[in-house]
């Protein structure tokens, strides 16, 4: 039987600007219908920001896709993100030294505004940037991914004077709109990826920003750090563990020692604190693996062997046995039931 992971990294609150809703209305989208589909109350005239949980925030973006006939609406919204008022984390990123510094600041301060984690993995001359919604029970809607990537590319281009463009975009979805995406992002678009990733050349990460303003950053950082420390006091330790497991899920099973090191505690302390909360390492690992397996099976054509590898299983049979324990069916059968179609032969 399926179990819902008990993940709590911070308050599950995501801001939805009323200014964005006004922009959607200007683009001809029936905002009232969007909010109705997403089951979100209409904002009053005195409200500037709606505070939603991740589930309803995703529902709004899914509803935008349902109501709008414009397949590029996510890209349009994201491309305009740096034209208006910025949150403090984005402002810090825009005025950083370079792209590497910008992503460090986004990674550190993004969770002040929403439960989203930004990670950069540099290997073989490439820097892969991924965005993880830590409290999501489902994958982010495609339009939201498009918007996040478009806003990130806009940041890189604006801050570098057009010198930085993505090398490649990898999408954890089935092939759709490849020419449209390639036309906007002007790079290679690859589908059926294990995770959504925006890939830059590692050399681009050190390209100086023409918007660099160290004095402004120094003015903002102390306040952001103080707010971050306040939030950290109220974070669930189980949630921190799940977030670390999610970040590190790249074809390996993170050991207790590796996980403890990332959380800056000893392995004994890690296991003791989990036990105090009535859980343990394997339970947390299974919860995260289950969530990721659901997303990859439902949204991509990755074969089962590739999914098993990404989740850190040594062989396909081990993944199939574990999945059967979670869901009561094999991953092959679950995929058919979820998508209503027979998977590819490779699955």
């Amino acid at each position: 039987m399926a179990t819902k992971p008990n993940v709590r990294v911070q308050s599950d609150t995501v801001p939805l600007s009323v200014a964005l809703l006004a922009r959607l209305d200007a683009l001809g989208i029936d905002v009232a219908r969007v909010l109705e589909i997403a089951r979100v109350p209409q904002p009053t005239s005195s409200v500037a920001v709606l505070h939603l949980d991740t589930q309803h925030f995703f529902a709004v973006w899914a509803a935008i896709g349902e109501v709008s006939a414009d397949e590029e609406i996510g890209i349009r919204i994201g491309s305009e993100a740096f034209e208006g008022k910025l949150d403090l984390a984005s402002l810090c990123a825009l005025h950083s030294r370079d792209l590497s510094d910008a992503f460090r600041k986004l990674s550190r301060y993004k969770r002040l505004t929403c439960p989203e984690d930004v990670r950069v993995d540099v290997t073989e001359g490439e820097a892969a940037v991924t965005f993880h919604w830590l409290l999501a029970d489902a994958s982010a809607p495609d339009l939201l991914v498009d918007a996040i990537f478009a806003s990130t590319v806009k940041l890189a281009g604006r801050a570098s004077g057009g010198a930085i463009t993505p090398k490649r975009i990898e999408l954890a979805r089935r092939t759709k709109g490849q020419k449209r995406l390639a036309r906007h992002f002007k790079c290679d678009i690859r589908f059926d990826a294990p995770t959504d990733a925006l890939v830059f050349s590692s050399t681009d990460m050190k390209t100086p920003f023409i918007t660099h303003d160290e004095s402004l950053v120094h003015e903002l950082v102390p306040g952001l750090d103080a707010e971050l420390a306040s939030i950290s006091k109220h974070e669930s330790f189980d949630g921190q563990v799940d977030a670390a497991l999610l970040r590190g899920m790249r074809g390996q099973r993170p050991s207790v020692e590796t996980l403890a090191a990332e959380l800056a505690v000893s392995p004994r302390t890690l296991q003791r604190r989990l036990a105090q909360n009535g859980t343990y390492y394997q339970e947390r690992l299974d919860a995260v693996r289950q969530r990721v397996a659901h997303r990859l099976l439902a949204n991509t054509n990755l074969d089962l062997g590739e999914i098993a590898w990404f989740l850190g299983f040594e062989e396909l049979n081990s993944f199939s046995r574990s999945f059967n324990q979670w869901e009561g069916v094999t991953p092959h059968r679950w995929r058919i039931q979820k998508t209503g179609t027979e998977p590819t032969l490779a699955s």
Side-chain angles (χ1 to χ4, degrees):
M1 179 179 295
T3 57
K4 184 177 180 179
N6 181 24
V7 183
R8 285 295 177 267
V9 177
Q10 66 174 76
S11 174
D12 188 5
T13 304
V14 186
L16 179 67
S17 169
V18 172
L20 171 60
L21 300 181
R23 175 57 181 157
L24 293 176
D25 182 67
L27 292 171
I29 296 174
D30 187 344
V31 173
R33 179 59 179 156
V34 167
L35 297 179
E36 179 185 3
I37 293 173
R39 298 184 178 180
V40 171
Q42 293 279 348
T44 63
S45 58
S46 61
V47 172
V49 177
L50 295 175
H51 296 284
L52 310 178
D53 59 23
T54 302
Q55 179 181 351
H56 284 95
F57 184 70
F58 280 13
V60 167
W61 279 92
I64 292 171
E66 183 176 337
V67 171
S68 175
D70 184 0
E71 292 186 344
E72 296 190 8
I73 189 64
I75 291 175
R76 293 181 190 277
I77 294 170
S79 297
E80 296 175 357
F82 279 83
E83 300 302 329
K85 185 177 180 180
L86 301 179
D87 61 72
L88 295 183
S90 298
L91 196 62
C92 263
L94 180 63
H95 295 292
S96 298
R97 293 187 302 273
D98 51 37
L99 195 58
S100 180
D101 187 34
F103 283 128
R104 276 195 298 271
K105 288 181 170 59
L106 282 177
S107 178
R108 179 168 177 78
Y109 300 123
K110 189 66 175 179
R111 61 196 179 109
L112 292 176
T113 56
C114 63
E116 184 185 17
D117 182 62
V118 183
R119 180 184 176 95
V120 180
D121 293 293
V122 181
T123 56
E124 299 181 354
E126 293 184 340
V129 185
T130 51
F131 301 81
H132 302 281
W133 290 88
L134 301 175
L135 305 182
D137 292 330
S139 56
D142 291 350
L143 283 184
L144 177 56
V145 174
D146 292 349
I148 292 172
F149 282 7
S151 66
T152 305
V153 170
K154 184 75 172 184
L155 163 66
R158 176 177 170 183
S160 66
I164 300 176
T165 56
K167 179 178 180 180
R168 183 175 69 257
I169 287 178
E170 299 176 356
L171 297 171
R173 68 180 79 158
R174 295 179 175 88
T175 304
K176 181 182 179 182
Q178 186 169 21
K179 291 182 179 179
R180 167 176 50 84
L181 293 167
R183 183 174 63 250
H184 174 80
F185 291 108
K186 297 179 174 59
C187 67
D188 181 26
I189 309 293
R190 299 182 186 178
F191 294 86
D192 288 321
T195 190
D196 297 308
L198 186 57
V199 183
F200 294 92
S201 167
S202 58
T203 58
D204 284 341
M205 301 297 283
K206 293 300 181 182
T207 299
F209 277 7
I210 62 174
T211 54
H212 180 215
D213 188 337
E214 196 67 25
S215 61
L216 176 60
V217 171
H218 282 167
E219 183 179 335
L220 294 174
V221 162
L224 291 172
D225 282 340
E227 189 175 351
L228 190 63
S230 176
I231 286 179
S232 297
K233 293 179 181 178
H234 303 287
E235 287 183 339
S236 156
F237 186 72
D238 290 356
Q240 293 179 46
V241 170
D242 287 355
L245 287 169
L246 183 62
R247 289 193 299 268
M249 190 160 291
R250 295 292 186 278
Q252 60 183 348
R253 181 184 185 275
S255 66
V256 172
E257 291 74 19
T258 301
L259 184 61
E262 181 167 349
L263 295 171
V265 298
S266 69
R268 179 176 295 182
T269 298
L270 168 63
Q271 294 175 323
R272 175 177 56 80
R273 293 187 64 179
L274 287 174
Q276 288 173 344
N277 294 339
T279 186
Y280 51 93
Y281 167 76
Q282 188 62 48
E283 184 176 46
R284 303 259 50 88
L285 177 62
D286 285 345
V288 173
R289 279 174 159 175
Q290 183 183 0
R291 289 167 56 201
V292 177
H294 284 174
R295 176 175 59 81
L296 296 180
L297 288 168
N299 298 333
T300 76
N301 285 325
L302 284 171
D303 67 55
L304 299 186
E306 290 175 303
I307 294 175
W309 172 85
F310 184 77
L311 297 177
F313 287 95
E314 294 183 357
E315 57 183 20
L316 176 56
N317 286 341
S318 298
F319 168 50
S320 297
R321 284 195 299 270
S322 293
F323 193 90
N324 198 29
Q325 291 175 350
W326 302 331
E327 302 294 340
V329 295
T330 65
H332 175 92
R333 177 55 54 187
W334 189 92
R335 176 179 258 172
I336 294 174
Q337 293 173 349
K338 186 68 176 181
T339 64
T341 59
E342 185 77 22
T344 60
L345 293 177
S347 296

